Amino acid sequence: MGVFTRFGGSINQNVQQPLKAESKIPRENVNSSSVSEEDSNIQEPWYWDPDVDPKLKAEYKKHSHVRSMPLYVTDPKYYDLAELKRQVTLWIPNNNKHPWYDAPATVKVKIKKGVCHLKIEFTLGWPPHGVYEMLTNPRNMNFFSLFDREFRQRLDNESTKVLKKDGPRQITDVKKTLRWKVLGCTIAIPIHLVIDENHQNLTAKYKKKNMSCMKVFEGSWKIKPLYADQERLCKSRSRINDEEYKKCSGGKGRIGSKVTMEQIFQPCTLLNVPPVSWFIRKITIRTIKNLLEDLRQYIINIHKSRAGPIFKYT
């Protein structure tokens, strides 16, 4: 069982916490005292690495911080976990001498009847399930830039509660805090969302549940595999799938991620009046770009690291 404890730790150390509210699906029995106050928002069952020995699992629950546990943000039932771990090793700089460049995200803005529509596209040199982890980030892994001396990120997750679980589909209630600065002052904005996730096709739709400054705030994302070495290692230039790519590349082909996002927002009625609405729109768009740039820089740091992710085997 591999636990990624550094840059690659985002794959194993994060967690989704399905709460079967009014569901017939049974829940695991877990002693709540094994969870620290800091992690009291975590609820079972977690998506553990299926290869973890039950005794070791019990020890983790008693003595370890959640970030160090072999946990996953997406349910391993719906993808090949061994292949994901193998792909992570291919992105380690020492294992591949062919550099990969991820350009900044392209953001197209369209305003119609006071509603701002953003269409966003970007690529990341990291496996799709790892990128999905970064976008959901329920356990505050350090994907985003540190914002102040208290080591708080630009975007923090405060709580995650799964409302419904139906196969690969999962509906989560998420509370986050977004931080930005105006005239040298730090402002913390609470964001309360309901996210409809699909762990099999790596898509998500979200909608505000409570955001005092926004009348409309919703969007979606989807992640598709990007066959980074297809042109170099495979004769075929047409669309292929994971199995064909692995075969034609001799197992050496890296799979990155192509992300498409949609974001729609509109300030609340009292704030949707120029020039206040212009200011809110500008700040919102700039903040979204900054968050995406944080993720891009996180991956760039992985690619620059000489050692890449560190592996522990237990």
Side-chain angles (χ1 to χ4, degrees):
M1 181 277 298
V3 181
F4 305 84
T5 60
R6 202 166 135 215
F7 292 118
S10 59
I11 292 178
N12 269 7
Q13 296 167 350
N14 223 339
V15 57
Q16 281 289 16
Q17 316 84 315
L19 172 62
K20 272 66 174 197
E22 299 179 3
S23 172
K24 295 182 179 179
I25 302 176
R27 230 198 306 179
E28 291 183 25
N29 293 322
V30 173
N31 185 351
S32 59
S33 63
S34 64
V35 181
S36 67
E37 287 186 20
E38 182 181 354
D39 302 309
S40 59
N41 60 332
I42 300 176
Q43 300 179 31
E44 286 282 348
W46 300 339
Y47 298 129
W48 284 84
D49 186 319
D51 295 330
V52 174
D53 182 89
K55 293 183 180 179
L56 182 60
K57 183 175 177 180
E59 287 299 312
Y60 270 120
K61 289 183 179 181
K62 289 180 181 179
H63 305 295
S64 299
H65 188 282
V66 169
R67 294 190 187 188
S68 67
M69 296 180 185
L71 302 167
Y72 295 83
V73 71
T74 50
D75 194 336
K77 292 180 182 178
Y78 303 105
Y79 62 96
D80 188 338
L81 187 55
E83 179 61 19
L84 173 60
K85 294 178 181 180
R86 194 185 72 84
Q87 275 296 321
V88 166
T89 65
L90 292 179
W91 284 105
I92 298 174
N94 286 350
N95 290 356
N96 201 307
K97 298 180 181 179
H98 299 275
W100 178 261
Y101 174 73
D102 289 309
T106 60
V107 182
K108 296 181 179 179
V109 182
K110 183 178 180 181
I111 302 171
K112 186 176 181 180
K113 295 182 179 180
V115 180
C116 188
H117 298 252
L118 303 182
K119 185 173 183 180
I120 303 163
E121 292 184 349
F122 60 97
T123 63
L124 290 175
W126 200 242
H129 283 275
V131 173
Y132 197 86
E133 171 103 3
M134 295 165 69
L135 293 176
T136 53
N137 193 25
R139 292 307 309 133
N140 279 338
M141 301 301 294
N142 294 325
F143 301 132
F144 302 102
S145 293
L146 296 180
F147 200 74
D148 55 29
R149 293 180 180 179
E150 295 181 15
F151 299 101
R152 294 176 297 186
Q153 296 188 86
R154 194 192 307 273
L155 181 67
D156 269 340
N157 192 80
E158 304 297 339
S159 68
T160 301
K161 181 171 69 175
V162 174
L163 305 175
K164 183 178 180 181
K165 173 75 174 171
D166 183 14
R169 187 185 176 198
Q170 182 171 286
I171 298 178
T172 22
D173 183 289
V174 177
K175 293 181 180 179
K176 296 179 178 289
T177 298
L178 175 67
R179 297 181 180 88
W180 51 280
K181 292 183 179 180
V182 179
L183 301 177
C185 298
T186 300
I187 298 177
I189 301 176
I191 301 175
H192 193 176
L193 304 173
V194 173
I195 307 178
D196 188 344
E197 308 169 17
N198 190 304
H199 294 177
Q200 192 165 40
N201 59 23
L202 297 182
T203 61
K205 296 180 181 179
Y206 58 91
K207 196 171 186 178
K208 80 174 184 73
K209 187 171 183 180
N210 184 25
M211 283 184 68
S212 57
C213 61
M214 290 290 177
K215 180 180 180 180
V216 177
F217 191 89
E218 59 187 71
S220 64
W221 72 74
K222 62 180 178 181
I223 304 174
K224 296 292 185 182
L226 177 65
Y227 302 117
D229 299 308
Q230 181 178 356
E231 185 174 344
R232 182 171 60 88
L233 297 177
C234 300
K235 294 181 180 179
S236 173
R237 299 294 182 267
S238 59
R239 293 182 60 182
I240 58 177
N241 57 35
D242 288 6
E243 291 183 6
E244 293 170 344
Y245 180 59
K246 186 176 181 180
K247 183 177 180 180
C248 72
S249 68
K252 298 179 180 180
R254 297 167 295 179
I255 299 179
S257 301
K258 181 178 181 179
V259 186
T260 303
M261 302 181 72
E262 302 277 348
Q263 173 69 61
I264 302 172
F265 69 90
Q266 180 183 24
C268 64
T269 303
L270 293 176
L271 300 177
N272 199 25
V273 180
V276 177
S277 61
W278 301 341
F279 176 76
I280 293 177
R281 187 182 304 129
K282 180 180 179 180
I283 289 295
T284 303
I285 294 173
R286 187 171 69 185
T287 300
I288 291 172
K289 289 181 177 180
N290 287 341
L291 290 170
L292 296 176
E293 182 62 17
D294 284 350
L295 298 183
R296 174 174 171 264
Q297 289 300 324
Y298 180 87
I299 295 300
I300 288 175
N301 288 338
I302 295 177
H303 294 167
K304 287 182 178 179
S305 171
R306 292 184 178 181
I310 296 175
F311 294 85
K312 278 187 180 179
Y313 291 95
T314 54

